[in-house]
């Protein structure tokens, strides 16, 4: 399926889909910069390894759980893993790619 060039498999973290004790991939209160970087990097590496082992691909796009992002998380993700990062919040989303500056994608809300 991923080889069809119709489907793009994206990483969404391995186990950071919670609102407690951290909101998605955001840093927890009282978590040091080094602890945070290790936690986020370790989680994404675990997810990347899963995709490589089970599906045979390394995703190059990342979608933030719950749409939560920060400049700190973006830097960690951009430096280590992906060429595109998507974050959807309410009715808009931000996208970063290695080929362009950050820009806004307008999305319709359902509900």
């Amino acid at each position: 399926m991923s080889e069809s060039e119709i489907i793009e498999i994206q990483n969404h973290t391995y186990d950071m889909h919670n609102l407690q004790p951290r909101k998605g991939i955001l840093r927890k209160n009282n978590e040091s910069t080094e602890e945070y970087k290790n936690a986020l990097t370790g989680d994404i590496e675990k997810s990347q390894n899963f995709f490589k082992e089970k599906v045979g691909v390394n995703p190059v796009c990342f979608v933030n759980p719950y749409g939560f992002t920060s400049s700190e998380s973006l830097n960690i993700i951009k430096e280590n893993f992906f060429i595109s990062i998507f974050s959807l919040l309410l009715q808009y989303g931000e996208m970063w790619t290695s080929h362009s500056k950050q820009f806004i994608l307008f999305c319709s809300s359902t509900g």
Side-chain angles (χ1 to χ4, degrees):
M1 195 166 55
S2 64
E3 293 174 7
S4 72
E5 298 184 9
I6 296 172
I7 303 294
E8 178 66 42
I9 296 177
Q10 301 178 358
N11 193 319
H12 191 60
T13 75
Y14 190 85
D15 193 28
M16 290 190 167
H17 302 97
N18 302 300
L19 295 174
Q20 294 292 328
R22 83 171 73 242
K23 286 183 167 183
I25 62 169
L26 298 181
R27 187 180 349 179
K28 294 188 290 188
N29 292 336
N30 301 317
E31 186 174 39
S32 73
T33 300
E34 185 175 338
E35 289 171 327
Y36 174 61
K37 185 174 182 176
N38 290 338
L40 181 55
T41 300
D43 185 89
I44 292 172
E45 284 176 348
K46 189 172 182 179
S47 184
Q48 289 291 94
N49 291 336
F50 176 85
F51 281 115
K52 184 67 175 172
E53 180 183 317
K54 302 293 184 186
V55 185
V57 298
N58 280 318
V60 296
C61 298
F62 183 81
V63 180
N64 291 303
Y66 298 101
F68 295 128
T69 190
S70 67
S71 59
E72 190 173 28
S73 66
L74 284 174
N75 288 332
I76 292 167
I77 294 166
K78 285 192 303 188
E79 289 172 5
N80 295 295
F81 300 101
F82 304 101
I83 62 168
S84 295
I85 302 167
F86 298 90
S87 181
L88 297 177
L89 291 172
L90 300 176
Q91 294 191 17
Y92 74 93
E94 296 178 11
M95 182 178 124
W96 171 89
T97 74
S98 60
H99 306 293
S100 66
K101 303 271 186 198
Q102 199 166 24
F103 61 92
I104 302 296
L105 296 173
F106 289 95
C107 304
S108 62
S109 148
T110 59

